Amino acid sequence: MSEEDRFAPSEQVLSGRTADIYFLNARRILEQEGLNLRVTMEIFPSRSGILCGMNEVKSILAPVLPPDSEVWAVSEGESMEGKEVVLRISGPYRAFGIYETAILGILAQESGWASGARACVDAAGEIPVIHFGARHVHPDVSARLEYAAMVGGCTGCATQAGADLAGISPSGTIPHALILCIGDTVRATEAFDRYIDPQVKRIALVDTFRDEAEESLRVARALGDRLWGVRLDTPAERGRVTPELVQEVRARLDQAGFSHVRIVVSGGINASRITLFREKNAPVDAFGVGSAISGAPPIDFTADIKEIEGRPIAKRGRIPGVTVNSRLIRII
Amino acid sequence: MSEEDRFAPSEQVLSGRTADIYFLNARRILEQEGLNLRVTMEIFPSRSGILCGMNEVKSILAPVLPPDSEVWAVSEGESMEGKEVVLRISGPYRAFGIYETAILGILAQESGWASGARACVDAAGEIPVIHFGARHVHPDVSARLEYAAMVGGCTGCATQAGADLAGISPSGTIPHALILCIGDTVRATEAFDRYIDPQVKRIALVDTFRDEAEESLRVARALGDRLWGVRLDTPAERGRVTPELVQEVRARLDQAGFSHVRIVVSGGINASRITLFREKNAPVDAFGVGSAISGAPPIDFTADIKEIEGRPIAKRGRIPGVTVNSRLIRII
Amino acid sequence: MSEEDRFAPSEQVLSGRTADIYFLNARRILEQEGLNLRVTMEIFPSRSGILCGMNEVKSILAPVLPPDSEVWAVSEGESMEGKEVVLRISGPYRAFGIYETAILGILAQESGWASGARACVDAAGEIPVIHFGARHVHPDVSARLEYAAMVGGCTGCATQAGADLAGISPSGTIPHALILCIGDTVRATEAFDRYIDPQVKRIALVDTFRDEAEESLRVARALGDRLWGVRLDTPAERGRVTPELVQEVRARLDQAGFSHVRIVVSGGINASRITLFREKNAPVDAFGVGSAISGAPPIDFTADIKEIEGRPIAKRGRIPGVTVNSRLIRII
Amino acid sequence: MSEEDRFAPSEQVLSGRTADIYFLNARRILEQEGLNLRVTMEIFPSRSGILCGMNEVKSILAPVLPPDSEVWAVSEGESMEGKEVVLRISGPYRAFGIYETAILGILAQESGWASGARACVDAAGEIPVIHFGARHVHPDVSARLEYAAMVGGCTGCATQAGADLAGISPSGTIPHALILCIGDTVRATEAFDRYIDPQVKRIALVDTFRDEAEESLRVARALGDRLWGVRLDTPAERGRVTPELVQEVRARLDQAGFSHVRIVVSGGINASRITLFREKNAPVDAFGVGSAISGAPPIDFTADIKEIEGRPIAKRGRIPGVTVNSRLIRII
Amino acid sequence: MSEEDRFAPSEQVLSGRTADIYFLNARRILEQEGLNLRVTMEIFPSRSGILCGMNEVKSILAPVLPPDSEVWAVSEGESMEGKEVVLRISGPYRAFGIYETAILGILAQESGWASGARACVDAAGEIPVIHFGARHVHPDVSARLEYAAMVGGCTGCATQAGADLAGISPSGTIPHALILCIGDTVRATEAFDRYIDPQVKRIALVDTFRDEAEESLRVARALGDRLWGVRLDTPAERGRVTPELVQEVRARLDQAGFSHVRIVVSGGINASRITLFREKNAPVDAFGVGSAISGAPPIDFTADIKEIEGRPIAKRGRIPGVTVNSRLIRII
Amino acid sequence: MSEEDRFAPSEQVLSGRTADIYFLNARRILEQEGLNLRVTMEIFPSRSGILCGMNEVKSILAPVLPPDSEVWAVSEGESMEGKEVVLRISGPYRAFGIYETAILGILAQESGWASGARACVDAAGEIPVIHFGARHVHPDVSARLEYAAMVGGCTGCATQAGADLAGISPSGTIPHALILCIGDTVRATEAFDRYIDPQVKRIALVDTFRDEAEESLRVARALGDRLWGVRLDTPAERGRVTPELVQEVRARLDQAGFSHVRIVVSGGINASRITLFREKNAPVDAFGVGSAISGAPPIDFTADIKEIEGRPIAKRGRIPGVTVNSRLIRII
């Protein structure tokens, strides 16, 4: 999928139906007044984080800006400071003014998610973090969430749409639903092993019916070398997954000769819990993270007009004129 | 727009491309095993709030469930308790299992937004709250955000797409950009008055170039009775809008004979700041709220299988069997 | 066992070997000086709580005080205020002065334990509390601990020595050790049922090898009506016993027709956790409490001379003369 | 006194009357079942501290274990980490299982006391700490408390029974009672000087009737070189002993030529108050500490079966098999 | 002393030498411009408290304002709200503008002190509070401090200058210096009794050389009925005066037949310590308070021009025009 | 003005009318008893700070002490520790005893103010701090406050009387009153420029009628090079002066070619706000500080008699005899 295709804006966006109505009114007034001013607008975040969404922003601006316009930007995935100018657009205001709502929104939500992911990834150090949070956001943006999680440093995600956007294959284990339908963890895992593409890792979910340590040994005995790992997802009602549980399952697997079986931990995992697991040296092989990423708050962005027809200008409270930032690279 | 049209799911959702991949794998395994079990699934939120998204959920389930299925739900816009069952689906698992990701995601994000809006609306009492937060989320979900804000009690929103979904007309004032392009607040407001449909309220933005009190009097003198109100949006660098500023602008407008001019307050407004304005009896006529609603965290939802082929069942940590909740109404 | 026998002081105490040496020196000096003054001493606690140990104090004083002495006391098991006089001894100082150390120590430790027990009992309301804390104190005082726990309101304790002192039979379930030796919870419970006096309640411990809910159903099926209850004692590494676990075990037992089987909860239980269980309406039938009682800090007591030969006197910081307290009853 | 005599267990302990009843039941069941398994049990504390009571534990196990048993332990008085294995017993379970209650209890209470003492001793640095807390515990364990305080680093204690256990002579000054009976601090100190063995240090208590500084000078003038020191024990009602009081008494004694007279401080002393005295350079020569040691909470210990007949085993939540700890030394 | 004499402003004030220089510059510019505008100025405090200094302000304004001027004020000693207008001056600005500095300063410092006094007086309820804080402020304002303390509700003060201003006689006991010079508390009190006017109350200071309780009994025995009371002023190094000390001194005086001797408490007394004494029912007959009153922070006042030549006006941030306050009374 | 003239004590002080009455009584008793003892008194502060007032204390003592007296002191403006002896007076007690009240009061209030000033000056680093707080204290001490502020490190003050005491010329800008009377900031500044001595800096106050940035440019254009600076004094109702406002005004002045115009910041400035401005690199050229200095609490001082007729002595709680402090210099 080409970069343009990946982030092609929808008709709703291009038509201005998702723009704040007053931008459409402003465009109409300027047209009526015959004003087609060349304006430089700068965009900055309210706080520091990981910048995400810039590729998509480019996909909006590229088709609408006339040839003598310029767009400068900090690159996708880089870290940014609060109030740092990360995007500068120079061109006829009537050509791009109505896209302010969409541009700010894309950057806000995707940078928020990428920053949430980065916090978990930083806490996890060498241990990979897989994103499982699609179920906490609207399906119309879940692929963007998965993409942002990957930009933030995650190594896997769970939906086909998200994986396509990020250019990888989706990851998954076994849902509780399958085990409940089949009635036994071992039989469900065996069925998975029977029908699913051998390329897909066999990762058994081991907390549905019995104690996790007991179930881990049962599936390890059943699948042997074909078992890639087990996933611990103990619910809060059973005390969630603790570092001690991981240590015990590891010890029992090792004592039974299954040292090749990896341990994936999920269920309410966030950066502070990851830190706890690492401080206690719990032998985790991968973390599955959901709401700590999907629920990360948007990083609000602001757009300021800083120059009109070459003259520095700004509203009260802002400093007129272009802001110097050597990290900006011309993208259009 | 009919209810079905409003919330018709996208092809991405219907095809399962936004589903967690393991649900697709599970469906395939059950097919291979020849298991087509009738399952009852219950869905509940992690914490209390305002339920939103149920109409959209119905739009997904209606076309995919076979005739002898049943769906029971708490109604759109009602308040719900943490762990209260708000949705129960009974039917062949293979028909609806892959939509768990989408259903949970819709409810999570829209209920989060509606609950954020409700907190502001409750704080504001009689004073209307208008939603301006589209710029803080991705444009592919901004209409859902605006809809959820209206479900939560807001009386207006800013985008055409959002307003259509909520069945109203969009609201807007004048952006700083227009005033900067025209070069003066009074002239910009006069231009607005000249070209925009007289049905639209004239609300001048009064903090761009000069002190708010001074500018309020200038626009009031220029537009006279045609001026519906002024909007105070003082930036943080100038101390934000304070209750004292509202009181002073009110007093200066009244002393000059402009008691018909209303005062709209925006800029970093949230429930606790609204409470502050009301405690100090600041004469605010409307609040414009953005990130306090758009940045409200999702309310995560969980789906549990509670019955298979009529037998109570549950994973460890959950109580087997159907949960009684008299607030559930059959919707399919 | 008669009251005197129950609390007969040891030879170590009577001989003064457990007294602070300066009391022995003081007695010797007064003898050498030929001073045999009649002294009134008052004893009070540093903070409020449940008074315990007074019967034992009486057993020390009765044999050593000459006939014209008087002892007044608040009764065993009553609540007392901080600084309230709970014991007043009038008699020749040389006859009782060396027992100050023992008297204060008995009251301090036993009142501390009784107060710790009372806090749990008050939190538990109608639900019985059984004391299991002997393992946290030296065996030479564990019977006193168990007695104090009963004075504080517990309904059972675990050692023969303690039960004898309190005039009841000891309580017990099944230790993890037995289950580990026999290798299975059901077989261990069946062995218990086979060999132990039918008068003793059959209470299965259900967290040794498998999930508690699963194991509870297995033992219920094996013993049927002979099973009095199950004990949940989940270790911290598995998240301790939670209110939700109790609710689920209760539901699963009831759904399987075992509503006669009671649920005993143990493991790190204290007053605040008992409150939590009750606030969440967890259907607990009895709590087993250990270190919340055995580790309750002593309530320090102080003895003051207030009268010598009928004259009010006191050291600096105390008010001379006898303190009025109508709750004092003459016991010697 | 030989080591065995010092810590010989009582008949109550040896007979199992202080054991939790379920251990006696378990032994009976194993006998009936004809199971006499060789078991390895490990014992560890819940938190870090000073290990105390191991000598006494050895006195229990030595007479009851058959020849081919083994006991490994960390040594009396060493510091230990939370969850560190400090004792490992291997032998026929039926021979030692019933002593679990006594073993855990001895270690819990004595380690708690030794750790409380160590905190004060560490705070005091070079300044000796003398234990005076017998009055806050039951006389049947007060000698153990005094022994544990010495293991924790105290240099003196107050009862004959405790001193015997620790292998020293008891320490003591003069009680308020003697001064009240004699009616004057100087006369009481002179009487002490007249009748008590000259080996015993003359330490006057100086807060009974008059200001401490005034009284210190009076006793110093009366006893001259025979006065070893004064004890400040100001009650809370008079503001307790403060660093400034010690400095002033020191200055007044020195100015009057009594620089040989030492100052002992007592009354509500704990580690944080000792630190305060040292931070303010108060010239204290010894601290007397009571409830900060006697009221130190027990450090709960846990016993786990880790091997049966050579096979690793453990209950849920614990790691099967013997734990490596190079600090363990074979004691039986 | 007449009201005018009491508060007659100094030459420094009248000449403008204590005025902020820019007010003198402003007057000169207005003179040069020939502007002699009639101005209404309003003065309000930054926070609530007791208004003090208004009589003195009147003494400044009365001689300088021309006949057609008006001054309205809230009365001396009344409580005031934060931002409440307590003074309104209407007249030619050039006549009074330079006194803004002095007027605000007088109100600020005296209202601060009066409010500090009121907090103590309110806490003390029926018990009188005597002000002793002259030693904590410059002698050129100490009489104003004492006056303000009386306005705040104190019943006595310590300097002749302050007492004259308040229209009473000064109060005093005996300083430590006299006792140290004479060498004994009883002899010093007897000397006081010998030479000082019998109208003056005999109040012995009892903490100089010996314990307070002991010394109280000694002076009571020496002066008998002539002793009005004792003053407890224990230094921090001796634990300050505690409620328990007061109770004990009271008890010992009563037991010795000196129930007529009153107890005055001083030394670091403030509102929260007064509350403590009263909560513990300490039988205090009077409190001596110093730095809690003298160190009370000034309540800053602000002056705003609200009308010029009859037209409402105000600087940004303030509401133009006269503020209604029915508590204002015309004083000039 | 000579040093003596500057700080000559008033008749009120010299006559003892500002002394606590009990010092006058004590002097009379000692006269009657014929005691004229040579006494050494030491004076120390309750906490650390900047010593101020010592020159004035010397002006009191010099005329009253007889020739063989000695006075030793730490020097004006030096820092001092809590409880450090900063003044020692040796001489006949009757000659100086009654001045204790005045001496302590002068040191207390002036040291408090100097210490408050120093905190701001230390926070400001290289940026000058000008004192404007006369309006928050009584005019009879405002010159002392201004002097103390200069001792604490301020570089300017606002009243003639204060400036005389400190030996400088007073500083001032333009009051809001002048601008309100003249009706426009630019016209008021031009009038100032017309009539006031050209030596005086032209500093325009720019927040009276319009936005600060707009007004700064207007006055800069009007006065050109004659404008020394602008003062920002934004009221709390308009958000106070923020670091961002300073940065914006600086940028707008520079962009318009007025880089010579300095920026003075005032309005609720204290040490922590100064720190904030500096942390954010706000280009402030001077700070105007008022209540952070004038409202600094007095540092209470205490006087102790330490020697009488060559013998060490002290009241209870203090150490008898002279305290060594090598920083004391003989001043009389």
Side-chain angles (χ1 to χ4, degrees), chain D residues 251-284:
Chain D
R252 292 188 186 263
L253 284 169
D254 289 352
Q255 289 179 0
F258 300 115
S259 55
H260 73 283
V261 175
R262 293 160 190 82
I263 299 176
V264 179
V265 169
S266 62
I269 301 300
N270 56 26
S272 68
R273 297 208 70 224
I274 289 174
T275 298
L276 177 71
F277 278 94
R278 293 191 70 209
E279 282 173 358
K280 298 217 171 178
N281 294 312
V284 175

Side-chain angles (χ1 to χ4, degrees), chain C residues 312 314-320, chain E residues 211-212 247-248 251-252 255:
Chain C
K315 71 170 197 174
R316 272 169 79 224
R318 301 289 152 69
I319 294 172
Chain E
D211 186 67
E212 297 83 350
Q247 285 160 334
E248 181 189 342
R252 290 188 188 264
Q255 289 178 359

Side-chain angles (χ1 to χ4, degrees), chain B residues 44-50 80-83 108 112 115 296-301:
Chain B
F44 60 89
S46 56
R47 53 189 171 86
S48 63
I50 301 300
M80 59 187 173
E81 292 303 304
K83 308 228 165 170
S115 303
I299 295 177
D300 296 344
F301 282 73

Side-chain angles (χ1 to χ4, degrees), chain F residues 15 42 53 71 105 153 162 171 181 209 232 261 285 290-291 314 330:
Chain F
S15 67
E42 291 184 346
V71 180
S171 312
C181 285
F209 285 119
L232 306 177
V261 176
D285 294 294
S291 59
R330 186 164 178 183

Side-chain angles (χ1 to χ4, degrees), chain A residues 211-213 238 244 247-248 251-252 255, chain D residues 83 312 314-321:
Chain A
D211 187 68
E212 298 83 349
R238 283 292 191 283
E244 292 79 9
Q247 284 160 334
E248 181 188 341
R252 290 188 188 263
Q255 288 177 0
Chain D
K83 306 228 163 169
K315 72 170 197 176
R316 272 169 79 225
R318 301 289 151 69
I319 294 173

